[in-house]
Amino acid sequence: MSSAKPEREYFLDSIRAYLMLLGVPFHVSLIYSTQKWAVNSHDASMWLTVLNDFIHAFRMQVFFVISGYFSYMLYLRYQPQRWLKVRLERVGIPMLTAVPLITLPQFFITKNLTDKIGDWSSFSLYDKYNTLMWELISHLWFLLVLVILTTLGMVAFRWLNKQQRSINYQQIGWGKLTLALLIYALIWCAFRRVLFYFVPAVFADGLFSIAVMQMLMFLPFFMLGALSWKHQALKALFVRFNPVMCFGAIAVFIAYSLNQRYSSGEGWLYEIDMIISTLMGLCMLNVCFSFGHKLLNSHSPRIMYLVNASLFIYLVHHPLTILYGIYITPHIGSDTLGFFVGLLMVFGVAFTLYEIHLRIPLLRFLFSGKPQQQKK
């Protein structure tokens, strides 16, 4: 345990906030993409489909690296039990708050105003339960994954803290790092393929898909973030611009798009996606960290406002986007115009709600997990 606070990593705060806020253009563009969602426009837009694919291809991998970095940093600051309590409060309380206040109303919106769910009255008891799991977790899936990774962190970080430096991280480059994560991705693919052959129905289970498969998908990125705190040579590697990783991101994204268009769920879509997403996450990790370190590594009141607002904006934007798609999208003929109007309206309402919630101490606590001190 260390009581000394390190210098604030402003660029990591900023990147994390921007990745969270990218959820808004991601879901608004989903309305106008070729992907089937709760609400879709009459005609799909190719450029918005490409934008949607690009955001989805790398956003959460980089996010979990930053989460692992800060999680291990705080682990070293607190006693392990105190760390677990603080981290679970910061993640779990907003997640549990969002279920009754956000995703439950969102479920009734999609059930009654869209055809996404189908004939609810004809569902079996398990089908109703499973549909509720998908719909109530919804866009909160990453918070559930963070809760699980935080709990596993009690074991993983204890091991990492006691680990002696048997590996010379000064000699680790992008090649070795890519090979290590590709080996993990292949193990994940083999595990999924075994399940697919013997218990294929398990992938329709919302809780299993998120709590197990998604968690295992992002586990190496979370641990990579923790390692980059412990071994500063890794962090130095991430923030040093590498043109191969930058241009490699373009090639990998092309592969990602082709896989989305021409593979199928009954084939090797998800296994190929895991391999490509691993590569895309590593490439964009270097792009985000290097440019973020160069351009965003300073204190700014405006940036800190976005940092503080980003989680709340992400939590409330999803039902707002669905409502926009239901009531406004059909009245705008241009997909491009509809996309930008959607961004303006969803962000506008979300930031208005954020300002309202700041004035209510109970809501501030519920959406942040932080105790609210009374002003003298």
Side-chain angles (χ1 to χ4, degrees):
M1 183 184 70
S2 173
S3 60
K5 284 191 177 183
E7 184 178 350
R8 183 147 190 161
E9 304 279 7
Y10 290 109
F11 79 102
L12 291 180
D13 278 332
S14 299
I15 294 171
R16 182 172 55 179
Y18 285 128
L19 291 174
M20 193 79 71
L21 294 173
L22 272 178
V24 179
F26 169 71
H27 285 111
V28 175
S29 65
L30 200 54
I31 297 174
Y32 302 100
S33 74
T34 56
Q35 303 285 349
K36 182 171 175 56
W37 197 47
V39 190
N40 288 106
S41 62
H42 185 267
D43 296 311
S45 165
M46 183 52 63
W47 85 267
L48 288 172
T49 299
V50 172
L51 174 66
N52 184 267
D53 284 348
F54 178 71
I55 295 173
H56 190 257
F58 78 93
R59 185 170 68 103
M60 296 314 297
Q61 297 93 306
V62 179
F63 174 85
F64 277 103
V65 172
I66 299 174
S67 296
Y69 183 92
F70 283 127
S71 292
Y72 186 64
M73 178 189 73
L74 293 174
Y75 178 85
L76 298 178
R77 185 183 301 173
Y78 299 116
Q79 291 287 352
Q81 290 75 17
R82 170 66 177 166
W83 170 82
L84 183 63
K85 178 179 182 295
V86 170
R87 293 304 297 162
L88 290 182
E89 286 175 350
R90 298 287 174 85
V91 178
I93 291 176
M95 180 182 71
L96 294 175
T97 298
V99 171
L101 296 185
I102 296 176
T103 58
L104 183 59
Q106 176 182 283
F107 163 72
F108 287 107
I109 291 172
T110 55
K111 174 178 174 291
N112 297 321
L113 300 178
T114 74
D115 58 0
K116 176 186 178 183
I117 293 177
D119 186 6
W120 176 261
S121 61
S122 67
F123 285 6
S124 67
L125 185 61
Y126 170 76
D127 288 336
K128 289 181 178 179
Y129 155 79
N130 192 37
T131 301
L132 280 173
M133 285 298 99
W134 282 110
E135 296 301 319
L136 296 185
I137 296 175
S138 184
H139 63 298
L140 312 179
W141 68 266
F142 80 99
L143 292 176
L144 176 59
V145 170
L146 270 179
V147 167
I148 298 171
L149 290 177
T150 298
T151 306
L152 293 176
M154 282 289 287
V155 177
F157 290 171
R158 184 182 300 116
W159 166 80
L160 186 60
N161 200 28
K162 294 180 180 179
Q163 183 191 41
Q164 299 298 320
R165 182 174 295 188
S166 57
I167 301 174
N168 186 357
Y169 285 87
Q170 296 285 350
Q171 296 181 353
I172 289 184
W174 286 108
K176 292 181 179 179
L177 198 59
T178 301
L179 178 61
L181 263 69
L182 278 179
I183 291 173
Y184 179 90
L186 290 173
I187 294 173
W188 185 96
C189 293
F191 175 63
R192 187 190 185 280
R193 186 52 45 172
V194 169
L195 292 177
F196 181 77
Y197 283 137
F198 292 100
V199 281
V202 75
F203 295 113
D205 188 284
L207 193 57
F208 176 83
S209 295
I210 296 170
V212 177
M213 300 307 294
Q214 289 285 76
M215 182 274 295
L216 290 175
M217 180 178 184
F218 294 107
L219 173 61
F221 291 96
F222 184 79
M223 290 305 299
L224 189 61
L227 283 168
S228 66
W229 170 265
K230 182 178 178 67
H231 304 288
Q232 291 296 300
L234 275 180
K235 179 185 171 185
L237 177 70
F238 297 163
V239 301
R240 187 169 58 248
F241 177 74
N242 187 313
V244 174
M245 302 303 289
C246 180
F247 291 105
I250 299 173
V252 175
F253 175 64
I254 292 173
Y256 177 89
S257 298
L258 292 175
N259 184 53
Q260 293 295 315
R261 301 292 169 276
Y262 298 108
S263 296
S264 66
E266 292 75 22
W268 295 85
L269 169 66
Y270 297 104
E271 288 82 0
I272 297 173
D273 179 78
M274 176 62 177
I275 295 171
I276 294 175
S277 295
T278 298
L279 294 173
M280 189 68 179
L282 285 173
C283 289
M284 290 303 296
L285 173 62
N286 180 238
V287 172
C288 292
F289 273 45
S290 59
F291 282 99
H293 187 262
K294 182 178 181 179
L295 302 174
L296 301 173
N297 200 25
S298 60
H299 175 71
S300 166
R302 293 180 181 179
I303 296 298
M304 292 309 298
Y305 176 83
L306 294 178
V307 168
N308 294 327
S310 59
L311 176 59
F312 181 92
I313 299 301
Y314 180 82
L315 292 178
V316 303
H317 89 278
H318 200 264
L320 295 176
T321 304
I322 294 176
L323 288 172
Y324 173 81
I326 293 172
Y327 291 110
I328 307 298
T329 293
H331 302 289
I332 301 178
S334 168
D335 285 352
T336 299
L337 178 61
F339 171 71
F340 286 108
V341 171
L343 286 183
L344 184 63
M345 293 185 67
V346 172
F347 269 127
V349 175
F351 275 107
T352 300
L353 292 175
Y354 174 70
E355 287 295 329
I356 293 173
H357 114 285
L358 287 179
R359 290 154 175 79
I360 305 174
L362 177 60
L363 289 180
R364 289 205 309 269
F365 166 71
L366 291 176
F367 281 101
S368 68
K370 299 178 183 178
Q372 301 299 307
Q373 297 180 351
Q374 292 184 350
K375 294 182 179 180
K376 294 182 180 180

